[in-house]
Amino acid sequence: GLSNPTVLCLHQGRTSDYIWIGTDGEGINRFDPHTSRFTHFSSTLGSRVVSIADYSATELALSVYADNIWIFDKLSGTLRPLGIDDKDFLYKIRHSGRDIHIYNENDGDLLFLASGVHRYDKRSRKCVAISDPAKKVPNSTYSIIGRSEEGVWIHNRLNVYLLPDNDASLIFKGKHENGDIRCGHIGADGTIWLATEEGLCNFNTQTGTFGHIQTMLFSDANSVVCDNSSRVWVGTEKGLSAYLVESGCFTIFDESDGVKPNKFLPAPHLLSTRGDVYFGGVDGMLRIRDNHVIDTSEVHNRAADGGT
């Protein structure tokens, strides 16, 4: 039902169960988890939507690659450009060759993340650079991990940061020495799970230490989500795996489980308010229902080839 099979981003608003999907060249789609129906919006067709965030109760902010930041009306489907009084930043959006990821902070202002982090103020329409106390990491893009009571967690290729609300500087929390960080997700217990070049890792936000979860099932990972049952779902270039934190075991999923072959991508991952997990890739979107039960006998059999 997608207008384009390649999913670039996923988003769920605070007031609705709808899942908003950014595609590679055919705009945004809306997925209704109750009916499993997709809705396409003709006003966005032809757009490569790389990031979606809330803007208001009735509007979304869309980041369109090499184009602009647009405000999309969820009721009428119409678009208008976000007013940005910053010519230098507008030039970066259109000509930097990087995806501009967007995130809505608690106060309604937006974070723009690319080779640096900027905060957009709705009232002044200005973009203010957020300083990074750590050294710049070459060829690195900043991405959102998630939110805790302390603020917003962010990563780039090597480093993990915390951005407290209303602060103008990132707080450096840790450096991952052993491989590129591609994706991060913070669990309910405060543990940050990371998909990296060396596989699945975690980050203890209290001690600032990294751990590597050993397995022979995959050598690297692209995306990760920790669900409400302490199961860590890992998307790779070859498929889907799950790590059961309590037992320390892995399992893999294939077409017999309903998982079609797909190269999962770092950005499109989501834990919905219903507890469902979503992953996007080059060949569609995968939904893992919150009530999905993993057969533990099957887990141990599969994990024998590469458990922790």
Side-chain angles (χ1 to χ4, degrees):
L2 290 166
S3 60
N4 183 289
T6 299
V7 175
L8 299 182
C9 62
L10 297 167
H11 172 74
Q12 182 181 28
R14 299 189 181 108
T15 60
S16 171
D17 286 340
Y18 287 142
I19 307 299
W20 296 90
I21 305 157
T23 71
D24 189 10
E26 292 301 331
I28 64 171
N29 297 176
R30 188 185 69 198
F31 176 72
D32 186 339
H34 299 284
T35 63
S36 295
R37 285 184 172 273
F38 292 88
T39 301
H40 307 158
F41 294 87
S42 59
S43 61
T44 68
L45 293 178
S47 300
R48 186 183 185 194
V49 180
V50 298
S51 189
I52 304 172
D54 284 339
Y55 186 71
S56 70
T58 60
E59 296 172 311
L60 298 173
L62 311 181
S63 175
V64 177
Y65 178 76
D67 181 32
N68 207 342
I69 307 297
W70 295 88
I71 302 304
F72 171 80
D73 189 302
K74 293 185 287 186
L75 301 178
S76 66
T78 57
L79 290 170
R80 62 181 175 86
L82 175 67
I84 302 176
D85 292 338
D86 189 323
K87 293 182 179 179
D88 290 340
F89 193 79
L90 285 171
Y91 184 87
K92 290 179 181 178
I93 293 174
R94 292 163 183 161
H95 304 291
S96 69
R98 290 180 179 270
D99 294 345
I100 308 295
H101 297 147
I102 50 181
Y103 180 81
N104 190 311
E105 293 188 287
N106 275 342
D107 59 5
D109 293 332
L110 298 174
L111 292 178
F112 296 150
L113 302 97
S115 58
V117 181
H118 290 74
R119 178 180 283 123
Y120 172 79
D121 186 287
K122 282 184 177 181
R123 291 155 291 281
S124 68
R125 310 208 311 179
K126 301 291 186 182
C127 295
V128 178
I130 304 297
S131 62
D132 180 353
K135 294 181 179 179
K136 289 281 187 179
V137 179
N139 301 317
S140 189
T141 297
Y142 293 81
S143 298
I144 294 291
I145 294 173
R147 170 175 284 280
S148 71
E149 293 181 356
E150 300 171 272
V152 178
W153 292 88
I154 293 172
H155 76 85
N156 60 19
R157 190 164 59 86
L158 295 179
N159 300 331
V160 173
Y161 303 90
L162 174 67
L163 178 61
D165 293 335
N166 301 315
D167 270 19
S169 178
L170 299 173
I171 299 174
F172 172 76
K173 288 293 187 176
K175 182 177 182 179
H176 187 250
E177 302 283 358
N178 300 325
D180 288 356
I181 300 173
R182 295 169 176 168
C183 172
H185 185 260
I186 187 166
D189 64 352
T191 300
I192 291 176
W193 295 93
L194 301 169
T196 77
E197 189 179 51
E198 67 172 359
L200 178 64
C201 298
N202 57 23
F203 179 75
N204 187 314
T205 56
Q206 301 302 312
T207 63
T209 55
F210 292 88
H212 178 217
I213 313 301
Q214 299 285 345
T215 181
M216 295 175 63
L217 294 178
F218 51 87
S219 58
D220 60 4
N222 284 346
S223 57
V224 61
V225 171
C226 181
D227 69 13
N228 295 328
S229 300
S230 297
R231 303 177 298 188
V232 182
W233 300 88
V234 184
T236 72
E237 292 193 1
K238 297 181 179 179
L240 179 75
S241 296
Y243 174 63
L244 308 187
V245 177
E246 292 183 0
S247 64
C249 293
F250 278 91
T251 188
I252 57 175
F253 300 88
D254 55 27
E255 289 191 75
S256 65
D257 304 299
V259 181
K260 295 182 179 180
N262 200 346
K263 177 183 176 181
F264 294 108
L265 301 174
H269 64 282
L270 175 71
L271 176 63
S272 77
T273 54
R274 293 163 53 91
D276 296 342
V277 172
Y278 292 83
F279 284 113
V282 299
D283 196 22
M285 182 180 74
L286 172 69
R287 175 190 185 187
I288 306 161
R289 295 179 185 272
D290 178 50
N291 60 4
H292 177 76
V293 177
I294 297 176
D295 185 342
T296 55
S297 62
E298 186 176 356
V299 167
H300 288 291
N301 288 337
R302 289 179 174 177
D305 292 331
T308 58

